Amino acid sequence: VGAVKTVWAEALTALAAPVFDHRHACRGAVAVVGSAPALPAVPSPAQIAAVTRAAAEASRSLGWKGV
């Protein structure tokens, strides 16, 4: 599970990670979206870890066993 950081229009930012099912098919994503001041252009290691951990937990609940 990885994370992707995107900046939209310099005012809104997002950090997201994919959610997979038991067939390793992407079934959704966990994302944090916020204003640029609240979610900086370079996310902290703690922010990345929190989003990827939540996505991994959601994936495991759908039967994903990891890579």
Side-chain angles (χ1 to χ4, degrees), residues 2-61:
V4 175
K5 175 73 173 65
T6 304
V7 177
W8 290 297
E10 303 300 321
L12 195 61
T13 60
L15 175 63
V19 174
F20 298 101
D21 68 9
H22 63 284
R23 294 175 303 218
H24 301 279
C26 185
R27 294 298 176 191
V30 171
V32 176
V33 179
S35 64
L39 188 60
V42 178
S44 71
Q47 290 169 323
I48 294 168
V51 170
T52 55
R53 185 172 43 252
E57 289 176 16
S59 294
R60 283 191 294 276
S61 74

mmCIF file of all heavy atoms in Angstrom, residues 2-61:
data_model
loop_
_atom_site.group_PDB
_atom_site.id
_atom_site.type_symbol
_atom_site.label_atom_id
_atom_site.label_comp_id
_atom_site.label_asym_id
_atom_site.label_seq_id
_atom_site.Cartn_x
_atom_site.Cartn_y
_atom_site.Cartn_z
ATOM 1 N N GLY A 2 0.655 2.129 -0.925
ATOM 2 C CA GLY A 2 1.434 3.352 -1.028
ATOM 3 C C GLY A 2 0.541 4.564 -0.865
ATOM 4 O O GLY A 2 -0.666 4.444 -0.731
ATOM 5 N N ALA A 3 1.131 5.709 -0.872
ATOM 6 C CA ALA A 3 0.372 6.947 -0.714
ATOM 7 C C ALA A 3 0.744 7.916 -1.829
ATOM 8 O O ALA A 3 1.858 7.901 -2.313
ATOM 9 C CB ALA A 3 0.672 7.588 0.639
ATOM 10 N N VAL A 4 -0.211 8.728 -2.221
ATOM 11 C CA VAL A 4 0.006 9.735 -3.258
ATOM 12 C C VAL A 4 -0.422 11.085 -2.712
ATOM 13 O O VAL A 4 -1.481 11.204 -2.107
ATOM 14 C CB VAL A 4 -0.812 9.413 -4.526
ATOM 15 C CG1 VAL A 4 -0.672 10.524 -5.553
ATOM 16 C CG2 VAL A 4 -0.374 8.081 -5.106
ATOM 17 N N LYS A 5 0.375 12.094 -2.914
ATOM 18 C CA LYS A 5 0.086 13.457 -2.464
ATOM 19 C C LYS A 5 -0.171 14.318 -3.680
ATOM 20 O O LYS A 5 0.585 14.275 -4.637
ATOM 21 C CB LYS A 5 1.281 13.994 -1.670
ATOM 22 C CG LYS A 5 1.153 15.427 -1.246
ATOM 23 C CD LYS A 5 0.155 15.563 -0.141
ATOM 24 C CE LYS A 5 0.116 16.937 0.440
ATOM 25 N NZ LYS A 5 -0.316 17.977 -0.423
ATOM 26 N N THR A 6 -1.249 15.100 -3.674
ATOM 27 C CA THR A 6 -1.614 15.959 -4.795
ATOM 28 C C THR A 6 -1.941 17.356 -4.291
ATOM 29 O O THR A 6 -2.492 17.506 -3.211
ATOM 30 C CB THR A 6 -2.850 15.395 -5.520
ATOM 31 O OG1 THR A 6 -2.559 14.069 -5.923
ATOM 32 C CG2 THR A 6 -3.203 16.220 -6.735
ATOM 33 N N VAL A 7 -1.605 18.371 -5.072
ATOM 34 C CA VAL A 7 -1.971 19.755 -4.750
ATOM 35 C C VAL A 7 -2.899 20.251 -5.849
ATOM 36 O O VAL A 7 -2.588 20.153 -7.035
ATOM 37 C CB VAL A 7 -0.727 20.667 -4.671
ATOM 38 C CG1 VAL A 7 -1.145 22.102 -4.408
ATOM 39 C CG2 VAL A 7 0.229 20.178 -3.611
ATOM 40 N N TRP A 8 -4.069 20.776 -5.464
ATOM 41 C CA TRP A 8 -5.039 21.338 -6.408
ATOM 42 C C TRP A 8 -5.139 22.836 -6.192
ATOM 43 O O TRP A 8 -5.466 23.286 -5.102
ATOM 44 C CB TRP A 8 -6.432 20.751 -6.207
ATOM 45 C CG TRP A 8 -6.577 19.336 -6.611
ATOM 46 C CD1 TRP A 8 -6.434 18.813 -7.850
ATOM 47 C CD2 TRP A 8 -6.907 18.243 -5.762
ATOM 48 N NE1 TRP A 8 -6.652 17.459 -7.825
ATOM 49 C CE2 TRP A 8 -6.944 17.086 -6.552
ATOM 50 C CE3 TRP A 8 -7.167 18.126 -4.400
ATOM 51 C CZ2 TRP A 8 -7.248 15.834 -6.044
ATOM 52 C CZ3 TRP A 8 -7.458 16.886 -3.895
ATOM 53 C CH2 TRP A 8 -7.493 15.759 -4.713
ATOM 54 N N ALA A 9 -4.872 23.570 -7.224
ATOM 55 C CA ALA A 9 -5.092 25.021 -7.231
ATOM 56 C C ALA A 9 -4.430 25.730 -6.063
ATOM 57 O O ALA A 9 -4.892 26.763 -5.636
ATOM 58 C CB ALA A 9 -6.584 25.332 -7.272
ATOM 59 N N GLU A 10 -3.384 25.169 -5.535
ATOM 60 C CA GLU A 10 -2.614 25.780 -4.453
ATOM 61 C C GLU A 10 -3.418 26.064 -3.186
ATOM 62 O O GLU A 10 -2.900 26.641 -2.252
ATOM 63 C CB GLU A 10 -1.942 27.076 -4.933
ATOM 64 C CG GLU A 10 -1.043 26.907 -6.125
ATOM 65 C CD GLU A 10 0.111 25.937 -5.902
ATOM 66 O OE1 GLU A 10 0.686 25.939 -4.793
ATOM 67 O OE2 GLU A 10 0.438 25.187 -6.820
ATOM 68 N N ALA A 11 -4.695 25.686 -3.140
ATOM 69 C CA ALA A 11 -5.508 25.963 -1.955
ATOM 70 C C ALA A 11 -5.980 24.690 -1.276
ATOM 71 O O ALA A 11 -6.302 24.700 -0.103
ATOM 72 C CB ALA A 11 -6.714 26.816 -2.333
ATOM 73 N N LEU A 12 -6.034 23.600 -2.011
ATOM 74 C CA LEU A 12 -6.555 22.342 -1.495
ATOM 75 C C LEU A 12 -5.534 21.249 -1.759
ATOM 76 O O LEU A 12 -4.964 21.173 -2.845
ATOM 77 C CB LEU A 12 -7.868 22.010 -2.217
ATOM 78 C CG LEU A 12 -8.756 20.953 -1.612
ATOM 79 C CD1 LEU A 12 -9.208 21.355 -0.214
ATOM 80 C CD2 LEU A 12 -9.960 20.743 -2.507
ATOM 81 N N THR A 13 -5.279 20.420 -0.758
ATOM 82 C CA THR A 13 -4.336 19.322 -0.920
ATOM 83 C C THR A 13 -4.983 18.024 -0.470
ATOM 84 O O THR A 13 -5.961 18.033 0.275
ATOM 85 C CB THR A 13 -3.034 19.549 -0.125
ATOM 86 O OG1 THR A 13 -3.348 19.668 1.246
ATOM 87 C CG2 THR A 13 -2.304 20.786 -0.593
ATOM 88 N N ALA A 14 -4.416 16.905 -0.931
ATOM 89 C CA ALA A 14 -4.947 15.597 -0.563
ATOM 90 C C ALA A 14 -3.809 14.597 -0.448
ATOM 91 O O ALA A 14 -2.804 14.692 -1.143
ATOM 92 C CB ALA A 14 -5.953 15.119 -1.600
ATOM 93 N N LEU A 15 -4.002 13.641 0.417
ATOM 94 C CA LEU A 15 -3.083 12.523 0.592
ATOM 95 C C LEU A 15 -3.955 11.280 0.562
ATOM 96 O O LEU A 15 -4.937 11.197 1.304
ATOM 97 C CB LEU A 15 -2.345 12.651 1.927
ATOM 98 C CG LEU A 15 -1.425 11.507 2.326
ATOM 99 C CD1 LEU A 15 -0.280 11.369 1.334
ATOM 100 C CD2 LEU A 15 -0.895 11.739 3.726
ATOM 101 N N ALA A 16 -3.652 10.312 -0.312
ATOM 102 C CA ALA A 16 -4.512 9.143 -0.473
ATOM 103 C C ALA A 16 -3.700 7.870 -0.642
ATOM 104 O O ALA A 16 -2.551 7.910 -1.092
ATOM 105 C CB ALA A 16 -5.420 9.326 -1.684
ATOM 106 N N ALA A 17 -4.320 6.743 -0.297
ATOM 107 C CA ALA A 17 -3.728 5.420 -0.485
ATOM 108 C C ALA A 17 -4.831 4.471 -0.936
ATOM 109 O O ALA A 17 -5.977 4.569 -0.485
ATOM 110 C CB ALA A 17 -3.092 4.932 0.806
ATOM 111 N N PRO A 18 -4.518 3.533 -1.830
ATOM 112 C CA PRO A 18 -5.532 2.624 -2.372
ATOM 113 C C PRO A 18 -5.963 1.550 -1.377
ATOM 114 O O PRO A 18 -5.208 1.176 -0.482
ATOM 115 C CB PRO A 18 -4.839 1.993 -3.575
ATOM 116 C CG PRO A 18 -3.385 2.034 -3.216
ATOM 117 C CD PRO A 18 -3.207 3.305 -2.432
ATOM 118 N N VAL A 19 -7.192 1.054 -1.581
ATOM 119 C CA VAL A 19 -7.747 -0.064 -0.797
ATOM 120 C C VAL A 19 -7.969 -1.217 -1.778
ATOM 121 O O VAL A 19 -8.607 -1.036 -2.820
ATOM 122 C CB VAL A 19 -9.081 0.330 -0.127
ATOM 123 C CG1 VAL A 19 -9.716 -0.863 0.563
ATOM 124 C CG2 VAL A 19 -8.848 1.463 0.866
ATOM 125 N N PHE A 20 -7.424 -2.390 -1.446
ATOM 126 C CA PHE A 20 -7.503 -3.567 -2.312
ATOM 127 C C PHE A 20 -8.371 -4.658 -1.688
ATOM 128 O O PHE A 20 -8.484 -4.747 -0.464
ATOM 129 C CB PHE A 20 -6.101 -4.139 -2.553
ATOM 130 C CG PHE A 20 -5.183 -3.189 -3.243
ATOM 131 C CD1 PHE A 20 -4.228 -2.484 -2.533
ATOM 132 C CD2 PHE A 20 -5.279 -2.972 -4.603
ATOM 133 C CE1 PHE A 20 -3.378 -1.602 -3.171
ATOM 134 C CE2 PHE A 20 -4.431 -2.079 -5.251
ATOM 135 C CZ PHE A 20 -3.477 -1.396 -4.525
ATOM 136 N N ASP A 21 -8.929 -5.522 -2.549
ATOM 137 C CA ASP A 21 -9.704 -6.666 -2.058
ATOM 138 C C ASP A 21 -8.861 -7.936 -2.126
ATOM 139 O O ASP A 21 -7.658 -7.882 -2.414
ATOM 140 C CB ASP A 21 -11.031 -6.813 -2.822
ATOM 141 C CG ASP A 21 -10.868 -7.219 -4.273
ATOM 142 O OD1 ASP A 21 -9.747 -7.576 -4.710
ATOM 143 O OD2 ASP A 21 -11.883 -7.202 -5.001
ATOM 144 N N HIS A 22 -9.499 -9.077 -1.873
ATOM 145 C CA HIS A 22 -8.810 -10.366 -1.827
ATOM 146 C C HIS A 22 -8.212 -10.778 -3.172
ATOM 147 O O HIS A 22 -7.322 -11.619 -3.226
ATOM 148 C CB HIS A 22 -9.762 -11.453 -1.333
ATOM 149 C CG HIS A 22 -10.934 -11.688 -2.227
ATOM 150 N ND1 HIS A 22 -12.004 -10.815 -2.272
ATOM 151 C CD2 HIS A 22 -11.191 -12.665 -3.122
ATOM 152 C CE1 HIS A 22 -12.880 -11.265 -3.154
ATOM 153 N NE2 HIS A 22 -12.414 -12.381 -3.686
ATOM 154 N N ARG A 23 -8.662 -10.179 -4.266
ATOM 155 C CA ARG A 23 -8.111 -10.464 -5.594
ATOM 156 C C ARG A 23 -7.046 -9.444 -5.989
ATOM 157 O O ARG A 23 -6.593 -9.429 -7.127
ATOM 158 C CB ARG A 23 -9.225 -10.474 -6.636
ATOM 159 C CG ARG A 23 -10.216 -11.616 -6.443
ATOM 160 C CD ARG A 23 -11.334 -11.493 -7.430
ATOM 161 N NE ARG A 23 -11.935 -10.174 -7.234
ATOM 162 C CZ ARG A 23 -13.230 -9.911 -7.311
ATOM 163 N NH1 ARG A 23 -14.071 -10.850 -7.643
ATOM 164 N NH2 ARG A 23 -13.691 -8.701 -7.106
ATOM 165 N N HIS A 24 -6.678 -8.576 -5.074
ATOM 166 C CA HIS A 24 -5.718 -7.493 -5.301
ATOM 167 C C HIS A 24 -6.259 -6.445 -6.272
ATOM 168 O O HIS A 24 -5.493 -5.711 -6.892
ATOM 169 C CB HIS A 24 -4.365 -8.031 -5.779
ATOM 170 C CG HIS A 24 -3.747 -8.976 -4.801
ATOM 171 N ND1 HIS A 24 -3.049 -8.547 -3.703
ATOM 172 C CD2 HIS A 24 -3.763 -10.325 -4.743
ATOM 173 C CE1 HIS A 24 -2.656 -9.594 -3.004
ATOM 174 N NE2 HIS A 24 -3.072 -10.694 -3.624
ATOM 175 N N ALA A 25 -7.584 -6.392 -6.401
ATOM 176 C CA ALA A 25 -8.222 -5.360 -7.226
ATOM 177 C C ALA A 25 -8.447 -4.118 -6.358
ATOM 178 O O ALA A 25 -8.857 -4.232 -5.209
ATOM 179 C CB ALA A 25 -9.554 -5.857 -7.770
ATOM 180 N N CYS A 26 -8.173 -2.964 -6.922
ATOM 181 C CA CYS A 26 -8.403 -1.717 -6.188
ATOM 182 C C CYS A 26 -9.903 -1.491 -6.070
ATOM 183 O O CYS A 26 -10.628 -1.482 -7.062
ATOM 184 C CB CYS A 26 -7.734 -0.555 -6.910
ATOM 185 S SG CYS A 26 -7.862 0.991 -5.989
ATOM 186 N N ARG A 27 -10.385 -1.321 -4.853
ATOM 187 C CA ARG A 27 -11.812 -1.136 -4.588
ATOM 188 C C ARG A 27 -12.153 0.230 -4.028
ATOM 189 O O ARG A 27 -13.313 0.528 -3.757
ATOM 190 C CB ARG A 27 -12.310 -2.213 -3.616
ATOM 191 C CG ARG A 27 -12.261 -3.586 -4.193
ATOM 192 C CD ARG A 27 -13.172 -3.626 -5.392
ATOM 193 N NE ARG A 27 -13.090 -4.919 -6.053
ATOM 194 C CZ ARG A 27 -13.615 -5.148 -7.235
ATOM 195 N NH1 ARG A 27 -14.230 -4.200 -7.887
ATOM 196 N NH2 ARG A 27 -13.502 -6.327 -7.777
ATOM 197 N N GLY A 28 -11.159 1.074 -3.831
ATOM 198 C CA GLY A 28 -11.423 2.408 -3.296
ATOM 199 C C GLY A 28 -10.136 3.028 -2.795
ATOM 200 O O GLY A 28 -9.044 2.584 -3.155
ATOM 201 N N ALA A 29 -10.284 4.021 -1.961
ATOM 202 C CA ALA A 29 -9.115 4.704 -1.410
ATOM 203 C C ALA A 29 -9.474 5.328 -0.068
ATOM 204 O O ALA A 29 -10.637 5.622 0.205
ATOM 205 C CB ALA A 29 -8.629 5.787 -2.359
ATOM 206 N N VAL A 30 -8.467 5.498 0.739
ATOM 207 C CA VAL A 30 -8.578 6.292 1.962
ATOM 208 C C VAL A 30 -7.871 7.597 1.654
ATOM 209 O O VAL A 30 -6.742 7.589 1.146
ATOM 210 C CB VAL A 30 -7.905 5.583 3.157
ATOM 211 C CG1 VAL A 30 -7.836 6.499 4.360
ATOM 212 C CG2 VAL A 30 -8.637 4.292 3.492
ATOM 213 N N ALA A 31 -8.534 8.713 1.903
ATOM 214 C CA ALA A 31 -7.942 10.011 1.585
ATOM 215 C C ALA A 31 -8.183 11.020 2.696
ATOM 216 O O ALA A 31 -9.201 10.962 3.386
ATOM 217 C CB ALA A 31 -8.533 10.551 0.281
ATOM 218 N N VAL A 32 -7.239 11.911 2.814
ATOM 219 C CA VAL A 32 -7.370 13.080 3.680
ATOM 220 C C VAL A 32 -7.283 14.277 2.744
ATOM 221 O O VAL A 32 -6.330 14.403 1.976
ATOM 222 C CB VAL A 32 -6.254 13.138 4.732
ATOM 223 C CG1 VAL A 32 -6.359 14.409 5.553
ATOM 224 C CG2 VAL A 32 -6.281 11.910 5.612
ATOM 225 N N VAL A 33 -8.280 15.148 2.788
ATOM 226 C CA VAL A 33 -8.319 16.341 1.945
ATOM 227 C C VAL A 33 -8.458 17.545 2.865
ATOM 228 O O VAL A 33 -9.259 17.527 3.793
ATOM 229 C CB VAL A 33 -9.511 16.292 0.960
ATOM 230 C CG1 VAL A 33 -9.550 17.541 0.097
ATOM 231 C CG2 VAL A 33 -9.441 15.038 0.102
ATOM 232 N N GLY A 34 -7.670 18.562 2.600
ATOM 233 C CA GLY A 34 -7.756 19.742 3.447
ATOM 234 C C GLY A 34 -7.181 20.966 2.766
ATOM 235 O O GLY A 34 -6.646 20.893 1.657
ATOM 236 N N SER A 35 -7.276 22.082 3.450
ATOM 237 C CA SER A 35 -6.697 23.315 2.929
ATOM 238 C C SER A 35 -5.180 23.205 2.996
ATOM 239 O O SER A 35 -4.625 22.477 3.818
ATOM 240 C CB SER A 35 -7.178 24.509 3.744
ATOM 241 O OG SER A 35 -6.725 24.405 5.074
ATOM 242 N N ALA A 36 -4.522 23.913 2.108
ATOM 243 C CA ALA A 36 -3.063 23.848 2.029
ATOM 244 C C ALA A 36 -2.385 24.129 3.378
ATOM 245 O O ALA A 36 -1.440 23.426 3.726
ATOM 246 C CB ALA A 36 -2.548 24.778 0.946
ATOM 247 N N PRO A 37 -2.841 25.091 4.153
ATOM 248 C CA PRO A 37 -2.175 25.294 5.450
ATOM 249 C C PRO A 37 -2.345 24.106 6.412
ATOM 250 O O PRO A 37 -1.440 23.785 7.164
ATOM 251 C CB PRO A 37 -2.850 26.543 6.026
ATOM 252 C CG PRO A 37 -3.404 27.254 4.844
ATOM 253 C CD PRO A 37 -3.800 26.169 3.879
ATOM 254 N N ALA A 38 -3.489 23.422 6.348
ATOM 255 C CA ALA A 38 -3.745 22.316 7.263
ATOM 256 C C ALA A 38 -3.043 21.035 6.838
ATOM 257 O O ALA A 38 -2.662 20.220 7.676
ATOM 258 C CB ALA A 38 -5.249 22.067 7.381
ATOM 259 N N LEU A 39 -2.878 20.846 5.542
ATOM 260 C CA LEU A 39 -2.214 19.666 4.993
ATOM 261 C C LEU A 39 -1.121 20.178 4.064
ATOM 262 O O LEU A 39 -1.378 20.523 2.923
ATOM 263 C CB LEU A 39 -3.217 18.794 4.238
ATOM 264 C CG LEU A 39 -2.740 17.437 3.750
ATOM 265 C CD1 LEU A 39 -2.273 16.560 4.921
ATOM 266 C CD2 LEU A 39 -3.857 16.730 3.001
ATOM 267 N N PRO A 40 0.105 20.262 4.564
ATOM 268 C CA PRO A 40 1.171 20.883 3.793
ATOM 269 C C PRO A 40 1.491 20.142 2.495
ATOM 270 O O PRO A 40 1.164 18.970 2.332
ATOM 271 C CB PRO A 40 2.367 20.861 4.747
ATOM 272 C CG PRO A 40 2.047 19.833 5.763
ATOM 273 C CD PRO A 40 0.559 19.744 5.846
ATOM 274 N N ALA A 41 2.149 20.840 1.577
ATOM 275 C CA ALA A 41 2.498 20.274 0.268
ATOM 276 C C ALA A 41 3.367 19.031 0.400
ATOM 277 O O ALA A 41 3.291 18.132 -0.422
ATOM 278 C CB ALA A 41 3.190 21.323 -0.584
ATOM 279 N N VAL A 42 4.177 18.968 1.422
ATOM 280 C CA VAL A 42 4.980 17.776 1.700
ATOM 281 C C VAL A 42 4.447 17.178 2.996
ATOM 282 O O VAL A 42 4.658 17.730 4.076
ATOM 283 C CB VAL A 42 6.479 18.127 1.841
ATOM 284 C CG1 VAL A 42 7.281 16.889 2.184
ATOM 285 C CG2 VAL A 42 6.995 18.786 0.570
ATOM 286 N N PRO A 43 3.717 16.044 2.894
ATOM 287 C CA PRO A 43 3.140 15.460 4.105
ATOM 288 C C PRO A 43 4.222 14.910 5.024
ATOM 289 O O PRO A 43 5.293 14.496 4.564
ATOM 290 C CB PRO A 43 2.255 14.336 3.562
ATOM 291 C CG PRO A 43 2.823 14.000 2.231
ATOM 292 C CD PRO A 43 3.411 15.265 1.699
ATOM 293 N N SER A 44 3.926 14.924 6.301
ATOM 294 C CA SER A 44 4.878 14.400 7.281
ATOM 295 C C SER A 44 4.876 12.867 7.228
ATOM 296 O O SER A 44 3.902 12.251 6.781
ATOM 297 C CB SER A 44 4.483 14.859 8.686
ATOM 298 O OG SER A 44 3.310 14.178 9.105
ATOM 299 N N PRO A 45 5.939 12.255 7.690
ATOM 300 C CA PRO A 45 5.958 10.794 7.760
ATOM 301 C C PRO A 45 4.785 10.242 8.583
ATOM 302 O O PRO A 45 4.232 9.202 8.241
ATOM 303 C CB PRO A 45 7.304 10.480 8.421
ATOM 304 C CG PRO A 45 8.178 11.631 8.019
ATOM 305 C CD PRO A 45 7.246 12.825 8.046
ATOM 306 N N ALA A 46 4.383 10.961 9.617
ATOM 307 C CA ALA A 46 3.256 10.512 10.443
ATOM 308 C C ALA A 46 1.945 10.557 9.654
ATOM 309 O O ALA A 46 1.105 9.654 9.786
ATOM 310 C CB ALA A 46 3.146 11.371 11.697
ATOM 311 N N GLN A 47 1.753 11.587 8.834
ATOM 312 C CA GLN A 47 0.543 11.672 8.011
ATOM 313 C C GLN A 47 0.509 10.537 6.989
ATOM 314 O O GLN A 47 -0.523 9.899 6.792
ATOM 315 C CB GLN A 47 0.471 13.022 7.297
ATOM 316 C CG GLN A 47 0.200 14.177 8.220
ATOM 317 C CD GLN A 47 0.385 15.511 7.542
ATOM 318 O OE1 GLN A 47 1.273 15.695 6.704
ATOM 319 N NE2 GLN A 47 -0.465 16.468 7.900
ATOM 320 N N ILE A 48 1.636 10.285 6.334
ATOM 321 C CA ILE A 48 1.712 9.197 5.360
ATOM 322 C C ILE A 48 1.439 7.860 6.038
ATOM 323 O O ILE A 48 0.662 7.037 5.537
ATOM 324 C CB ILE A 48 3.079 9.190 4.663
ATOM 325 C CG1 ILE A 48 3.239 10.451 3.807
ATOM 326 C CG2 ILE A 48 3.255 7.924 3.819
ATOM 327 C CD1 ILE A 48 4.651 10.678 3.304
ATOM 328 N N ALA A 49 2.037 7.640 7.192
ATOM 329 C CA ALA A 49 1.842 6.384 7.918
ATOM 330 C C ALA A 49 0.384 6.190 8.316
ATOM 331 O O ALA A 49 -0.156 5.082 8.210
ATOM 332 C CB ALA A 49 2.746 6.343 9.149
ATOM 333 N N ALA A 50 -0.269 7.251 8.768
ATOM 334 C CA ALA A 50 -1.668 7.140 9.198
ATOM 335 C C ALA A 50 -2.578 6.770 8.034
ATOM 336 O O ALA A 50 -3.456 5.901 8.166
ATOM 337 C CB ALA A 50 -2.130 8.445 9.847
ATOM 338 N N VAL A 51 -2.373 7.400 6.875
ATOM 339 C CA VAL A 51 -3.221 7.114 5.712
ATOM 340 C C VAL A 51 -2.946 5.712 5.178
ATOM 341 O O VAL A 51 -3.876 4.960 4.890
ATOM 342 C CB VAL A 51 -3.032 8.195 4.619
ATOM 343 C CG1 VAL A 51 -3.708 7.798 3.321
ATOM 344 C CG2 VAL A 51 -3.595 9.524 5.109
ATOM 345 N N THR A 52 -1.689 5.335 5.058
ATOM 346 C CA THR A 52 -1.379 3.997 4.538
ATOM 347 C C THR A 52 -1.813 2.906 5.518
ATOM 348 O O THR A 52 -2.278 1.846 5.102
ATOM 349 C CB THR A 52 0.106 3.846 4.183
ATOM 350 O OG1 THR A 52 0.906 4.163 5.310
ATOM 351 C CG2 THR A 52 0.480 4.755 3.024
ATOM 352 N N ARG A 53 -1.711 3.169 6.809
ATOM 353 C CA ARG A 53 -2.165 2.197 7.818
ATOM 354 C C ARG A 53 -3.680 2.008 7.721
ATOM 355 O O ARG A 53 -4.185 0.875 7.739
ATOM 356 C CB ARG A 53 -1.759 2.667 9.217
ATOM 357 C CG ARG A 53 -2.070 1.669 10.310
ATOM 358 C CD ARG A 53 -1.482 2.069 11.682
ATOM 359 N NE ARG A 53 -1.640 3.476 12.018
ATOM 360 C CZ ARG A 53 -0.636 4.371 12.023
ATOM 361 N NH1 ARG A 53 0.591 4.018 11.704
ATOM 362 N NH2 ARG A 53 -0.871 5.623 12.350
ATOM 363 N N ALA A 54 -4.424 3.094 7.583
ATOM 364 C CA ALA A 54 -5.886 2.995 7.453
ATOM 365 C C ALA A 54 -6.273 2.247 6.177
ATOM 366 O O ALA A 54 -7.192 1.411 6.187
ATOM 367 C CB ALA A 54 -6.505 4.387 7.457
ATOM 368 N N ALA A 55 -5.561 2.509 5.079
ATOM 369 C CA ALA A 55 -5.850 1.806 3.822
ATOM 370 C C ALA A 55 -5.530 0.321 3.945
ATOM 371 O O ALA A 55 -6.280 -0.526 3.445
ATOM 372 C CB ALA A 55 -5.076 2.429 2.672
ATOM 373 N N ALA A 56 -4.441 -0.011 4.601
ATOM 374 C CA ALA A 56 -4.078 -1.415 4.784
ATOM 375 C C ALA A 56 -5.109 -2.132 5.648
ATOM 376 O O ALA A 56 -5.483 -3.279 5.369
ATOM 377 C CB ALA A 56 -2.688 -1.524 5.400
ATOM 378 N N GLU A 57 -5.587 -1.478 6.699
ATOM 379 C CA GLU A 57 -6.620 -2.078 7.557
ATOM 380 C C GLU A 57 -7.907 -2.311 6.772
ATOM 381 O O GLU A 57 -8.526 -3.372 6.888
ATOM 382 C CB GLU A 57 -6.888 -1.189 8.770
ATOM 383 C CG GLU A 57 -5.758 -1.184 9.781
ATOM 384 C CD GLU A 57 -5.990 -0.218 10.927
ATOM 385 O OE1 GLU A 57 -7.142 0.242 11.122
ATOM 386 O OE2 GLU A 57 -5.018 0.095 11.628
ATOM 387 N N ALA A 58 -8.312 -1.331 5.972
ATOM 388 C CA ALA A 58 -9.513 -1.488 5.149
ATOM 389 C C ALA A 58 -9.316 -2.612 4.139
ATOM 390 O O ALA A 58 -10.226 -3.426 3.913
ATOM 391 C CB ALA A 58 -9.841 -0.177 4.440
ATOM 392 N N SER A 59 -8.130 -2.689 3.551
ATOM 393 C CA SER A 59 -7.830 -3.746 2.581
ATOM 394 C C SER A 59 -7.898 -5.124 3.240
ATOM 395 O O SER A 59 -8.491 -6.056 2.680
ATOM 396 C CB SER A 59 -6.432 -3.533 1.987
ATOM 397 O OG SER A 59 -6.374 -2.353 1.217
ATOM 398 N N ARG A 60 -7.312 -5.253 4.414
ATOM 399 C CA ARG A 60 -7.363 -6.543 5.121
ATOM 400 C C ARG A 60 -8.802 -6.946 5.431
ATOM 401 O O ARG A 60 -9.148 -8.129 5.384
ATOM 402 C CB ARG A 60 -6.510 -6.495 6.385
ATOM 403 C CG ARG A 60 -5.019 -6.624 6.091
ATOM 404 C CD ARG A 60 -4.192 -6.845 7.347
ATOM 405 N NE ARG A 60 -4.220 -5.691 8.233
ATOM 406 C CZ ARG A 60 -3.429 -4.638 8.115
ATOM 407 N NH1 ARG A 60 -2.534 -4.583 7.155
ATOM 408 N NH2 ARG A 60 -3.510 -3.630 8.956
ATOM 409 N N SER A 61 -9.658 -5.972 5.709
ATOM 410 C CA SER A 61 -11.057 -6.299 6.000
ATOM 411 C C SER A 61 -11.780 -6.821 4.750
ATOM 412 O O SER A 61 -12.816 -7.478 4.860
ATOM 413 C CB SER A 61 -11.800 -5.096 6.583
ATOM 414 O OG SER A 61 -12.082 -4.137 5.579
#
